[in-house]
Amino acid sequence: MSTTESTAVTRETTLTSVNPATGETIASHPIADEQAVAAAVATARSAAAVWGRLSYADRKRHLLRWGSRIVARSEEFCDLIHAENGKPRDDAFLELMLALEHIKWAANNAEKVLKPKKVSPGALMSNFAAYIEQRPLGVVGVIGPWNYPVYTPNGSIAYALAAGNAVVFKPSEYSTGIGNFLAALFAEANPELPEGVFATINGYGATGAALVNAGVNKIAFTGSTATGKKIMAAAAETLTPVLLECGGKDAVIVAADADIKAAADAVAYGATMNSGQTCAGVERVYVDKSISGEFIAEVKRILTDIHPGSDSKASYGPMTMPSQIDIVRRHIEDALKKGGTAVLGGPESIKGNYIEPVVLVDADESSEAVCEETFGPTVTIRTVTGIDEAVELANSNKYGLGSTVFSRKRGLEIARRLRAGATSVNSVLGFAAISALPFGGVGDSGIGRIHGAPGLLEFTSPHSIAVQRFAVPGMALLSYTRTDRTMNLLRKVVPLIHGRHK
Ligand code: NAD
C-alpha cells in the first residue's frame, strides 16, 4: 500500500473497491476506526464465549454448513473474485475449492488433534495422571492480503474457528468485498449463532494496526514481510502472539535427471499464474547445465502462448495492485543491467495493468530480480553445475517459503537440503493443496504455520493438568512433610535413571 493510501485512512471514512481490469468502482465500504474495531472485538469476545463452549461436533456442523453455503453461491462468489481481484473465473473457482478442502479438514480433524491427551507422568511422579488440554485463545484477529483473498486468510480463519475461537477479519483494501462475502456466507449458513463468531472490519493499514492494538488474543497476518515486521513490533507492546505468513522468493531446482518437459511446464505455470502474484510462486530457477538449453527453450515455447487478459481465454488477469507494476519493471531493468538476457519479453511486456510473461536468463545473483520478491509474471533462470551449486544458490536468500525440485531419482534427497517451509517434488505447489500439510516459512517468510495439525495448534494454548491419584506415604516430594528417608531413596534412584549413559 502506498503512503498516500496509508495516511488517507485518517481522513477518509469510506473505502472504494475498484475492478483492476477496468478501473470501475465495484462498491464502497465504511472504514472501521479504532472505536469500530474495539466494538467488533468486544462483540467477538461475547461470541467466543458461546462458540468456544460448543462441542467439536457442533462446531464441525457449523463449519461444514458454511462450506456448503460457499458451494451454493460459488458462481456469484467467483464473479466477485474475478471483478475485484482480476483473476480468471476458473482460478477463482480453484481458489474456492482449495479453501473448501481446508474448511473440511479443519472441521473434521479439530477434535482428533485438539482433544485432551493423557501423557506419561514419568517414574518419579507415577502417582499422578497428566493431561494436556488445548484451550481456544479467545478472539483471533486475522489480517489478509489480496492475491488469494479467500484461500490465504481462510488458512487462519477456518483453523481458528475449528479450534473454538471467534475471528475478526480485516481483508486487504484490494479485496474488501470478497472478505465480506466470505464472512456473510458464514452468518447466512449459521443464523442461530450469536453475531461476531466470524466478522469483518474494513479499511487500510491503519484499521489493521487498530486490530493489532485491540486486545485480541492472537494476530494471524498474511502479507508482505515489511508489514509483518511492523505488526510484530506493535504486538510486542502487549505480548500479543503473532502468526506471520509473509513474502517469498521461491526457487526451483531442475536436476540433470529431470523430466525436462514436466519441469518446464511447472515453471511456466508457477511463475506466471495469478500474474505471478503468488507468495509461493516460482521466482528463480537453477537448472543443470547438461539440460539448460532444452529446458529454457521449452519454458519459452510454453510461455509464448500464454497471455494475460480479462476475457474467458485469458491465462491470467491484470496486476491487482497498480503499485506493484513499477517494482516488476525495476526488477526486469536491474536484471538486464546486471548481465541478464531476456529470452522472452522485457520491459516492453508491461502493457498498462497487464504484464506479458518475461523470462530472464543468467541475471546476476545480486540483482533485485533474484534477491527480492518480484510478484509479477517473470522468472529468472540460471545454469548451474550440479546439485551442490543449485542447493547453495537456492538457499542463499533471505526468504524461505516454498520450493520445488525436479529430479527423477534424487527428488526427496534434494528437497531435504532446502531451507524452506515446504517443497514440492516433481510438481509445483503440491504442498499448498494438501490440507494435512502445514504451510509457512522460515527467515523473512514468517513465523508459525497455517494448515494441518500445526495450523490448529497455532490457535490454541496448551493447558497442562497434573492430578495426584493417590499419595505415597513419605514420598510427598513437593511438601515440607518430605522425609530424610525419601531423600536417601531418591539419591539412589536418580543415578539409576539418569546416570548410566556413557
Ligand atoms: P501488505 O503487507 O501490503 O498488506 C497485507 C495486509 O496488511 C492488508 O490487509 C493491509 O491493509 C494490512 N496492513 C498494512 N499495514 C498494516 C499495519 N501497519 N498494521 C496492520 N495491518 C496492516 O501485503 P499485500 O500487498 O496485501 O500482499 C502481498 C504480500 O503478501 C506478498 O509479499 C506475498 O508474498 C504475501 N503473501 C504471503 C502468503 C503466505 O502465506 N506466506 C500468502 C499470500 C500473500
Side-chain angles (χ1 to χ4, degrees), residues 94-113:
L94 278 180
E95 183 173 346
L96 289 188
M97 185 194 86
L98 290 177
L100 287 165
E101 287 282 297
H102 280 292
I103 291 171
K104 187 167 162 220
W105 198 93
N108 283 344
N109 288 280
E111 181 162 16
K112 192 167 98 193
V113 175

Side-chain angles (χ1 to χ4, degrees), residues 5 18 20 146 174 277 319-329 352-353 355:
E5 283 160 332
V18 171
W146 46 265
Y174 293 96
Q277 306 170 131
M319 297 297 284
T320 310
M321 192 171 67
S323 57
Q324 196 68 24
I325 297 169
D326 286 338
I327 296 173
V328 176
R329 181 182 291 109
N353 279 356
I355 305 182

Side-chain angles (χ1 to χ4, degrees), residues 178-232:
I178 299 166
N180 285 278
F181 198 77
L182 184 67
L185 294 181
F186 182 87
E188 204 175 284
N190 297 296
E192 69 277 37
L193 287 177
E195 185 196 348
V197 173
F198 171 25
T200 48
I201 47 165
N202 302 321
Y204 296 96
T207 303
L211 184 58
V212 177
N213 291 325
V216 293
N217 303 96
K218 184 156 192 164
I219 283 289
F221 166 78
T222 310
S224 63
T225 303
T227 307
K229 287 179 182 174
K230 282 189 211 159
I231 287 178
M232 190 165 174

Side-chain angles (χ1 to χ4, degrees), residues 476-482:
L477 302 184
L478 308 174
S479 159
Y480 289 122
T481 64
R482 198 176 57 211

